[in-house]
Amino acid sequence: MTAGSETPLRVGVFGLLGSGNLGNDGSLEAVLGYLRAEHPAAALDALCGGPEVVASRYRIPATRLHWYRGEYRTASRVGAIAAKGVGKLLDAVRTAAWVRRHDVVIVPGMGVLEATLPLRPWGFPYALFLLCAAGRLFGTRVALVGVGAAPIGQRQTRALVRWSARLASYRSYRDALSRDAMRAMGVDTTQDKVYPDLAFALPTPRASALAGPPGPVCVGVMDYHGGDEDRAEADAIHRRYLEGTTRFVHSLVREGRRVRLLTGDEVDRPVATAILDAVASPLVTAAEASCLSDLMTEMAAADSVVATRYHNLVCALKVGTPTLALSYAAKSEALMDRMGLGSYCHPARAVEAGRLLEQFHSLERRSAELRRILAERNLVAARQLDHQFADLSAALFPAAGQIGTHALREAP
């Protein structure tokens, strides 16, 4: 709010938030922390997947993203198909009305411009397009902040993502690969910048004093079925991933190591349960994490981490624990390379337990060296995110008396 103004800036946050994905919610938490510290007078609310969770956990008003509650379930009956169709029309009106009430809308991180996991074009890509189109129509600035992007093969999804990016007022990316992908899709990225993932801005928990040597090994698992173009062989990919990861955990147990299974989304829990049942050892337990802070607390107490989900990797690297990535996309390899651990990647779609164990032993032999490298890289990431938030403030929160007047709303 500007001096003497009584109208707060109206800022919305948008995305699949509060829907069970800890990485998405961690990105939201980082942006809310920035807004509350730097722009405390802003009036905040959300249009999101899980409004009840967002409202209770983050103390902001929240509205459901989709009118039809079964949006992300496959519709096979006539009634469900019709309801989805009606929902698409209603969502256009609902999104436009919500956007119109705001000066700024922020999409906090997340892989909103990629389809590295199975994704239908008329699900979230359509919702994002509605947001960005409404922002351009009503002069509301839409900011895609620290987002992930990747090449997209499906034509309709690619078109929706491309137009969403073009219509946004502000874009920044979590890695150079994302910016390159959008440039290849025909988006002008000359003014777009690259910063570390927003989760690197979250507070870092201290390591637990209870985990004496040897500490546990955290293994982050995922309900992995391949990418958007792997639907025909999704079951086979999942079976290979689960079998390979289970054999790896078996190998750790045979060496007498304690293993802590971690997840990053509610859909990952059956995978952890399957490994627990298959290994059936008191050395293997599963953590109940409800946020990225919980994951970081577990990882800070570990000797090493082997993880699949992108934000599991971010958490492990942020707390400075030597990490090995079960990589399912180029974004994971880019992250590991940026943090100095580029040689410690293993393909998630072809987990070979023997080779993975060799890489794990190499990781542990270099533990002290890698911890020093991670400490240095985390300092750099923190400084870069300070620049990200300063850049965002300059773009969306001008100091001159324009707040609450929609004077921000010229087309980008």
Side-chain angles (χ1 to χ4, degrees):
M1 183 172 14
T2 56
S5 173
E6 297 181 359
T7 304
L9 184 73
R10 296 162 292 181
V11 180
V13 290
F14 176 94
L16 292 178
L17 310 164
S19 302
N21 184 287
L22 303 188
N24 291 0
D25 290 356
S27 299
L28 169 62
E29 185 178 345
V31 165
L32 290 178
Y34 147 72
L35 289 170
R36 285 166 171 161
E38 300 298 327
H39 306 282
L44 308 177
D45 75 320
L47 185 62
C48 58
E52 298 85 3
V53 172
V54 169
S56 63
R57 181 177 296 170
Y58 302 109
R59 306 184 311 282
I60 60 174
T63 302
R64 186 171 299 279
L65 178 59
H66 299 291
W67 174 83
Y68 180 57
R69 290 175 179 256
E71 175 61 39
Y72 293 103
R73 295 194 298 268
T74 300
S76 54
R77 296 182 179 180
V78 173
I81 294 172
K84 269 198 172 185
V86 171
K88 299 302 178 190
L89 297 175
L90 292 177
D91 285 346
V93 176
R94 294 172 67 251
T95 301
W98 182 81
V99 169
R100 192 173 188 177
R101 296 196 298 268
H102 295 80
D103 299 288
V104 172
V105 173
I106 295 175
V107 180
M110 306 177 285
V112 297
L113 302 177
E114 64 180 57
T116 51
L117 297 176
L119 183 70
R120 300 292 187 188
W122 304 112
F124 187 77
Y126 174 70
L128 183 66
F129 170 75
L130 290 179
L131 171 79
C132 296
R136 178 63 68 93
L137 177 64
F138 297 117
T140 299
R141 289 205 171 196
V142 174
L144 310 180
V145 183
V147 297
I152 297 173
Q154 213 278 352
R155 184 168 56 86
Q156 292 171 318
T157 303
R158 185 172 63 249
L160 288 167
V161 164
R162 178 174 61 247
W163 277 106
S164 296
R166 285 176 172 174
L167 292 169
S169 303
Y170 175 94
R171 295 178 299 269
S172 65
Y173 306 98
R174 63 189 180 190
D175 53 49
L177 290 176
S178 296
R179 183 171 61 184
D180 292 345
M182 296 315 299
R183 183 184 299 121
M185 287 188 211
V187 177
D188 181 1
T189 63
T190 54
Q191 301 300 315
D192 300 352
K193 297 179 181 178
V194 173
Y195 298 101
D197 188 87
L198 291 172
F200 280 102
L202 294 173
T204 305
R206 293 185 179 183
S208 169
L210 299 177
V217 178
C218 286
V219 178
V221 300
M222 180 179 177
D223 184 33
Y224 177 62
H225 293 261
D228 196 46
E229 298 177 357
D230 296 320
R231 294 177 185 271
E233 51 179 332
D235 290 342
I237 290 172
H238 179 70
R239 184 172 59 253
R240 288 196 299 270
Y241 169 78
L242 180 58
E243 290 173 352
T245 305
T246 302
R247 285 195 295 270
F248 173 67
V249 172
H250 262 300
S251 298
L252 294 176
V253 169
R254 284 195 294 270
E255 294 181 356
R257 301 300 297 270
R258 289 179 292 140
V259 177
R260 193 77 162 142
L261 299 178
L262 305 176
T263 59
D265 193 297
E266 291 177 357
V267 300
D268 301 334
R269 291 178 182 176
V271 178
T273 300
I275 294 174
L276 284 171
D277 292 343
V279 177
S281 168
L283 292 176
V284 184
T285 56
E288 291 288 338
S290 62
C291 60
L292 291 192
S293 178
D294 291 346
L295 286 179
M296 286 191 278
T297 298
E298 294 281 350
M299 293 169 168
D303 280 357
S304 305
V305 174
V306 179
T308 310
R309 278 202 181 271
Y310 180 82
H311 278 99
N312 277 19
L313 295 175
V314 170
C315 287
L317 297 168
K318 178 172 171 53
V319 299
T321 302
T323 303
L324 201 164
L326 290 176
S327 173
Y328 65 87
K331 63 182 179 182
S332 299
E333 293 159 19
L335 171 66
M336 294 292 285
D337 188 61
R338 183 174 196 156
M339 297 301 288
L341 279 75
S343 60
Y344 291 103
C345 293
H346 190 97
R349 64 184 300 124
V351 178
E352 201 285 297
R355 172 59 182 152
L356 183 58
L357 190 64
E358 291 176 5
Q359 289 179 287
F360 173 77
H361 288 152
S362 171
L363 182 82
E364 292 221 310
R365 285 193 296 270
R366 295 182 60 198
S367 179
E369 173 194 357
L370 295 176
R371 286 178 182 273
R372 287 193 296 271
I373 291 172
L374 287 173
E376 295 168 358
R377 299 296 173 97
N378 274 302
L379 290 175
V380 173
R383 289 196 295 269
Q384 291 173 331
L385 281 170
D386 286 342
H387 291 304
Q388 161 69 99
F389 292 130
D391 184 39
L392 190 61
S393 289
L396 302 182
F397 303 89
Q402 298 180 8
I403 293 179
T405 67
H406 286 53
L408 288 175
R409 296 184 167 187
E410 70 277 8

